[in-house]
Amino acid sequence: MKDKEIAKLLLRAVQWTTRETKDKDLNDEYLATIDTPLSPITCFFAINNMEAVVLSLYLHAQYRNITLEADSLVQHFGENIVALADIQDAIDSLLEKKFLFGSNNNKKDKLNGEQPTYRVNYKIMEAVINGDVTFLEAKPILSFLEWMEEFNELQPMRKTGYMNTQRFIMEVNALLAQHQTIDEIRWIEKLELGNHEKVLFIALVAEHLYESEQIDLDDVCRDLFDSPLIRANLKKGLRDGSHPFLQKSLIQYHSDDFIMGNYVKLSEDVQANLIGEDIKLEQRLFKPRMGTLIAPQTIAQEALFYNDKEEKQIELLAKTLEENRLQIVFNNLKQESMKPGLNILLMGGPGTGKTATVRNLARQTNRSILMVSIDKIQSKWVGDSEKNLKRVFDEYRTLCKSSEQTPILLFNEADAILGRRIEVTRSVDQMNNALQNILLQELEDFEGIFMATTNFATHLDSAFDRRFLFKVELEMPDEDVRLKILENNFKDVANETLQEINSLYRLTGAQINNIKKKLLIRTALEFEASANEILFTLCEEEFAIKRSQHKKAIGFTH
C-alpha cells in the first residue's frame, strides 16, 4: 500500500547519505556515527549500514540517470582506494539479495578495461518511490502459467541490458530450482538441455503463450544472447540438424519458412506437455512484443482542461466510445457493408495533451490500450520493419479476441510514419514508404479503435487524411485554460503567484506537469524548500533548452 510519508523519509535518507558521505573515510567507526540517519534505509530493507550507503549511492545515481562505476565510488569517498574492498563486499551482498543487477558485465568488457556497472532492481526503486515494502515480496507460484508470468518479468531486464546473458541464465535456473513441484518444470528439466538452449526453449514457450504460434527465432535470440557467436552456432545447428531442439523434436518448421523468415513453432509434443489443449488462443496470456499493454484500471485519473472548440470534440469522442453507443455505430457500419472501425487522429504541438487524452478516454470507457512507439517498429535489419508493423496489427487482433470491450490501438508520436511519402534515394526512404503502404492498407481494412498522435499535422500524407474519420487538433491552452491547469496542479500556492506565472510563461499542460513533479522532488529532498520561492526557477528551467537555441526565449510574453 502506497505510503507517501515513508517514501519521503526514504528519499531524504538517500539524499542525506549521498551528500554527507562524500569525502569521508568509510570505516566501521564512521559508519557507527551515521547509524540513525541511515536507519530508514537499513530498517526498510533489512540491510547493514555499509550496504545502505552503497545502495543509496546507486539509487541516487539511477534516479538522475547516471551510470556509477567503481572509480566514481572511490572518488566519492575521498579517493581512498582501500575503501574499494568494503564497497565490493557490499555490492556482492546486494547482488546476492537481488537488490542490484550487473549490466553488460562480460568478458569482452573486462579485456577492454571497462569497469563492471550495476543497476538497482526495479522492484527496489518501486518500493522506495511508493514507500511500500510489499513490492519486494515474492508472489506465490502454484502453476506453470504463473511461473511463466515470473519469467516474463525477467525478460525485459535482459532485453534492455539491465542484466547480461550470464546473469539472466542464473536467475532463470534459480527460478526453475525453486519450483520443481510443478509438473511442467520437471518435464523441462528432464530434457537435459544446456543453459543457453534451456533459456531459449522457455523463451519460445513464452512467445507461443503470449504472442503467436509462429515464432521469429532470430528476434528471440537477439533479445537473449549478447554473443553473436552463440547466435551463429544456434543457426548452424538448426540448419544441419544437430541442434537439441531438432534432435529432441521440440520445434517444427518448413524449410522455406526457416531460410527466409526464421519462423518456427513448438512441436505438438511440447504443446501437449506444456500448453495443454485446455488453453485456447482466446485464453492465452497476452504480453505484446511490439507495444505496451495498458489496462484501464492502471490509468490514473487526471483532470484535463481544453480550449472550448477542443472540449466539444473530445466530449463527442467520449460519447462515441461508450460501449453501448460504439456497438450501435459498429452495427450501423456493418449494415452499410463498411468495416466496423474508428480511426482517430489527435494533432498538436508537444505537451498539448494528446497522449493524456487517449489515456483518459480509455479510462472513462474501460478500454485497454495497446500503445506502440514507431521507433520500436523501425529496424536496421532489412525487411524487419515491415514485418514488425504487420505484427502490431496481428497482436491487436489477438488482443481483441480476449478483451470484453474493444481495445484501443495507439500509435504514439506517429509523425515518422504518417508524413508525406518521398522519392526514394536511400534504403531508409524505401523502408518508410513501404511502412506507409502497409499502414494504409491495414487502416483500410481495420476493425476496432485506432488512434494516432502527431506533432506535425501539416506534414500528414494526403492518403492518410481520408483514413481518419475523426481529426482533433489540440492547441496551446489559452490564458484562462492555462490558469485552470495551474490552479489544479498547485492548490497550495498563492493565487497571485499563479497569475504572475501565467502572465509570464506560455506553458503547456505537460510542462506544468513536469514542474509539479520537480517541485515534489525538491520539497521531498530539501527540508526548507518553499513552493512559492522555487516555482519561478522551475518555470525558467522548462525553457532552458529552447532559450539556448533562440536569442529570445520561447514561451515569454515580453
Side-chain angles (χ1 to χ4, degrees), residues 155-289:
Q155 273 196 300
M157 289 191 282
R158 166 64 209 120
K159 292 176 184 178
T160 58
Y162 216 98
M163 61 174 72
N164 59 20
T165 299
Q166 182 181 1
R167 181 75 195 190
F168 181 70
I169 290 172
M170 288 173 58
E171 293 297 325
V172 174
N173 278 332
L175 196 59
L176 288 166
Q178 292 164 13
H179 299 93
Q180 291 294 310
T181 57
I182 298 175
D183 292 340
E184 292 87 348
I185 298 298
R186 291 201 300 269
W187 189 86
I188 291 173
E189 295 288 23
K190 286 179 181 177
L191 294 173
E192 297 182 343
L193 298 170
N195 280 329
H196 292 103
E197 289 80 10
K198 188 188 296 182
V199 296
L200 176 57
F201 176 66
I202 295 169
L204 296 182
V205 174
E207 288 285 306
H208 180 100
L209 276 170
Y210 293 115
E211 239 189 285
S212 170
E213 292 182 5
Q214 189 170 260
I215 304 162
D216 190 326
L217 200 58
D218 263 3
D219 278 357
V220 180
C221 287
R222 279 200 294 265
D223 287 340
L224 288 180
F225 303 124
D226 298 312
S227 168
L229 181 61
I230 293 174
R231 300 197 294 266
N233 286 337
L234 167 72
K235 245 181 179 178
K236 179 178 179 297
L238 288 168
R239 286 207 167 97
D240 64 22
S242 63
H243 196 277
F245 288 0
L246 298 177
Q247 295 289 320
K248 297 175 184 289
S249 300
L250 301 180
I251 61 172
Q252 299 171 344
Y253 59 83
H254 299 293
S255 57
D256 289 342
D257 288 343
F258 179 71
I259 291 170
M260 298 303 295
N262 303 298
Y263 285 112
V264 301
K265 64 178 183 178
L266 300 179
S267 68
E268 292 181 4
D269 185 44
V270 170
Q271 293 187 50
N273 281 282
L274 296 185
I275 310 302
E277 295 181 2
D278 56 324
I279 302 177
K280 298 178 181 177
L281 178 63
E282 292 81 0
Q283 297 171 314
R284 279 185 183 162
L285 304 169
F286 183 80
K287 285 286 183 71
R289 185 180 182 84

Side-chain angles (χ1 to χ4, degrees), residues 25-80:
D25 186 5
L26 209 62
N27 53 44
D28 293 339
E29 291 78 12
Y30 173 70
L31 287 172
T33 66
I34 60 173
D35 187 73
T36 300
L38 287 178
S39 61
I41 302 169
T42 56
C43 294
F44 188 80
F45 291 115
I47 55 180
N48 63 36
N49 285 0
M50 185 66 189
E51 292 166 352
V53 170
V54 172
L55 181 61
S56 295
L57 293 175
Y58 275 105
L59 277 168
H60 190 268
Q62 202 153 315
Y63 286 135
R64 297 173 61 203
N65 201 27
I66 296 172
T67 300
L68 198 60
E69 296 180 342
D71 276 353
S72 303
L73 287 172
V74 172
Q75 289 171 12
H76 179 84
F77 297 112
E79 299 190 5
N80 178 12

Side-chain angles (χ1 to χ4, degrees), residues 62 107 109 119 134 139 141 198 356 378 388 451 474-475 498:
Q62 202 153 315
K107 188 182 293 184
D109 292 336
R119 291 181 64 84
T134 60
K139 296 179 291 187
I141 296 175
K198 188 188 296 182
Q378 294 171 327
N388 288 343
M451 303 184 80
L474 301 179
E475 298 181 344
L498 297 181

Side-chain angles (χ1 to χ4, degrees), residues 460-477:
L460 187 69
D461 191 285
S462 58
F464 285 107
D465 190 52
R466 71 178 183 86
R467 297 303 200 282
F468 289 103
L469 182 62
F470 290 97
K471 292 179 277 289
V472 181
E473 184 169 8
L474 301 179
E475 298 181 344
M476 287 280 292

